[in-house]
Amino acid sequence: MSGLKIAAEFFPMNERDLDAVAALEASLQIFPWSRGNFEDSLTAGYSVWVLRLGGDLIGFSVVMSVIDEAHLLNIGVCKRYQGQGYGARMLRHAMECARLGGAAKLFLEVRPSNERAVELYRHFGFRQIGTRKGYYPAVVGREDGLIFDKELA
């Protein structure tokens, strides 16, 4: 072996990716998005991307833009590749796509129990601007959603 490292690359999500993206999402979430949710995002023209390492799909993001604002609807990285900087790359890419699409601000919601994600968003300068009470389904009852935003300009 030459020790060459394979670079991860971004590609626009397409119909052929839907099964793999839905399977990845199901491996990450207790209450995952369905394949139909991702398909609807494609159909709606959202900014939907996958991250591939070699031929393997290791991450995805979904961003909805409206006028000069964008909303990060979903983002995920395969558990095997978490903690290696791929989540940060996905987030940077999502922010840049939103900015290039004309968004001045990016919003998102996150579970307080998703401490790694909360830490990542804060690291990138997102600030908590509110809480949606009972926003997420939980194993018992509901879990709040922390609302974050970040200026992109």
Side-chain angles (χ1 to χ4, degrees), residues 14-28:
N14 62 53
E15 289 277 333
R16 293 181 308 279
D17 297 319
L18 291 173
D19 289 336
V21 169
L24 175 53
E25 167 77 350
S27 76
L28 298 172

Side-chain angles (χ1 to χ4, degrees), residues 109-128:
E109 288 88 16
V110 62
R111 293 174 183 268
S113 63
N114 191 346
E115 294 171 0
R116 285 180 83 177
V118 170
E119 183 180 317
L120 178 67
Y121 299 138
R122 287 195 170 128
H123 174 78
F124 274 86
F126 282 81
R127 63 188 177 103
Q128 185 178 344

Side-chain angles (χ1 to χ4, degrees), residues 11 17 23 33 40 83 88 100 102 108 111 116 123:
F11 297 94
D17 297 319
W33 274 25
D40 290 346
L100 291 173
L108 61 87
R111 293 174 183 268
R116 285 180 83 177
H123 174 78

Side-chain angles (χ1 to χ4, degrees), residues 27-77:
S27 76
L28 298 172
Q29 303 296 335
I30 295 171
F31 299 95
W33 274 25
S34 69
R35 182 187 191 281
N37 292 127
F38 289 104
E39 187 172 21
D40 290 346
S41 296
L42 269 177
T43 302
Y46 296 167
S47 178
V48 288
W49 292 84
V50 295
L51 181 62
R52 291 187 176 279
L53 185 60
D56 297 333
L57 188 146
I58 66 164
F60 63 85
S61 66
V62 179
V63 175
M64 172 185 71
S65 294
V66 179
I67 307 174
D68 63 346
E69 295 179 349
H71 195 129
L72 179 63
L73 299 177
N74 203 338
I75 189 167
V77 173

